[in-house]
Amino acid sequence: MDGLIQWGLEVVRWIQTFRSPLLDQFFLTINFLGDEEFYLLFFPLIFWCFHKAVGYRLAFLFLFSAWVNAFLKNVFAAPRPHDVDPKLYAPIKTTGYGIPSGHTQGTLVTWGNLATQLRRPLWWALAIVIPLGVGIGRMYLGDHFPQDVIAGALIGIVLVAGYAAFEPGVAAWLNARASLALKLVLATLVPLALAIVFLDTAAVPLGALLGFGIGLVLEEKYVRFEPRGAWWKQVLKFAIGIAIALGLRLGLKPLLGDVAAMNFVRYAIIGAWMSLGAPWVFVQSKLAGKA
């Protein structure tokens, strides 16, 4: 393991020999595409304003992928480059364990899933270029070794391929045979079972998975909002929805505390707002019609 870390450290040092103010800003900017704040804006935009099914398929896969990443980080408990060599350029200095790279895995899962759903050359190109740029950036910024990035990419590819293969059959079975009660039970038990296996640093995606899943089941039964609409309605929908989501994210933190169990609860509330609360508000305010 020490030999692998030393090899990875040499690769990171070599990448950082190309440093310049322009590249510093470029990689800091592209790094945002793997941050929680980006996903908090991007997923609702797709779900609320463009295509519900594309949005919730992406959300389910991404949140499960985030749990897998957090679980594996805890298993390997590997350091980051700036932990090993404090002299490295590391403007962000992400805390926690290194392998696998969450930014690389998350961007590959996100853009890879969109490519498998939309099946257009542009989306396939984005599914290659964005994770590649983010992965290189994670090494350039001193946050990950090359083995972290490679592991994150491989795990992301496996998850995207497996989801593309099995999700259509599972979804067809749920729609054809599963009752409302069974859907609610599954939406509740799956995140709770994963939480029993590992919670800690996975509390945020698991809480969001619980709230979003339960909310989606109820939304499809009782609300059934239509995401398409006039441009000004789309702008208002997104502005209102995100403002309340961010308010919940920031406002509930001091009330509930910043521990794993409370983060689980906080993000369950945010997830339910995104899949059920916001669509209900959109329909009631005539910003969205019913499908």
Side-chain angles (χ1 to χ4, degrees):
M1 188 67 176
D2 288 342
L4 184 61
I5 288 176
Q6 288 305 313
W7 168 79
L9 192 59
E10 290 305 313
V11 173
V12 171
R13 285 171 177 160
W14 175 77
I15 290 174
Q16 292 196 351
T17 62
F18 297 94
R19 274 197 63 211
S20 70
L22 181 62
L23 284 179
D24 288 356
Q25 190 55 53
F26 172 77
F27 284 118
L28 283 169
T29 301
I30 199 173
N31 186 74
F32 177 68
L33 297 179
D35 288 348
E36 179 185 320
E37 290 76 12
F38 170 76
Y39 296 118
L40 192 63
L41 298 172
F42 186 63
F43 292 164
L45 179 66
I46 296 174
F47 182 72
W48 292 339
C49 301
F50 289 99
H51 199 291
K52 279 173 64 176
V54 170
Y56 69 66
R57 290 183 194 126
L58 175 59
F60 285 140
L61 176 59
F62 175 82
L63 293 171
F64 175 71
S65 169
W67 177 84
V68 170
N69 186 267
F71 173 74
L72 291 177
K73 281 182 187 292
N74 189 68
V75 169
F76 291 113
R80 294 176 181 270
H82 59 73
D83 296 326
V84 179
D85 182 1
K87 295 180 181 179
L88 286 174
Y89 171 66
I92 302 173
K93 288 193 176 179
T94 306
T95 57
Y97 298 129
I99 192 169
S101 166
H103 276 63
T104 307
Q105 183 178 326
T107 51
L108 201 149
V109 162
T110 298
W111 300 97
N113 177 260
L114 287 174
T116 61
Q117 292 196 72
L118 302 176
R119 300 183 182 182
R120 296 289 188 274
L122 172 62
W123 294 101
W124 286 111
L126 292 174
I128 296 171
V129 172
I130 292 178
L132 181 62
V134 169
I136 294 172
R138 297 303 284 164
M139 293 182 285
Y140 182 96
L141 297 171
D143 263 343
H144 279 296
F145 294 108
Q147 57 266 32
D148 305 350
V149 172
I150 292 169
L154 291 176
I155 294 166
I157 290 170
V158 169
L159 289 174
V160 169
Y163 196 70
F166 295 107
E167 187 274 338
V170 174
W173 178 82
L174 286 171
N175 290 329
R177 297 178 179 271
S179 64
L180 176 66
L182 178 57
K183 290 178 181 178
L184 287 172
V185 168
L186 290 173
T188 303
L189 290 185
V190 170
L192 291 180
L194 293 175
I196 292 172
V197 175
F198 180 72
L199 184 63
D200 196 14
T201 54
V204 167
L206 285 185
L209 183 62
L210 176 70
F212 188 87
I214 292 174
L216 182 66
V217 172
L218 296 174
E219 191 282 329
E220 290 190 324
K221 177 67 175 178
Y222 299 110
V223 181
R224 303 188 307 279
F225 87 105
E226 169 55 52
R228 307 270 181 176
W231 70 267
W232 63 271
K233 290 185 177 182
Q234 300 289 58
V235 172
L236 277 177
K237 278 163 51 181
F238 185 72
I240 293 169
I242 284 298
I244 294 177
L246 292 176
L248 291 171
R249 182 172 181 253
L250 297 174
L252 291 175
K253 188 173 183 178
L255 292 176
L256 298 177
D258 192 15
V259 295
M262 292 299 100
N263 284 332
F264 181 87
V265 172
R266 179 161 59 106
Y267 276 81
I269 294 171
I270 296 171
W273 163 253
M274 290 185 174
S275 61
L276 177 62
W280 182 83
V281 169
F282 300 156
V283 171
Q284 295 301 310
S285 62
K286 308 299 182 184
L287 291 175
K290 281 204 169 191

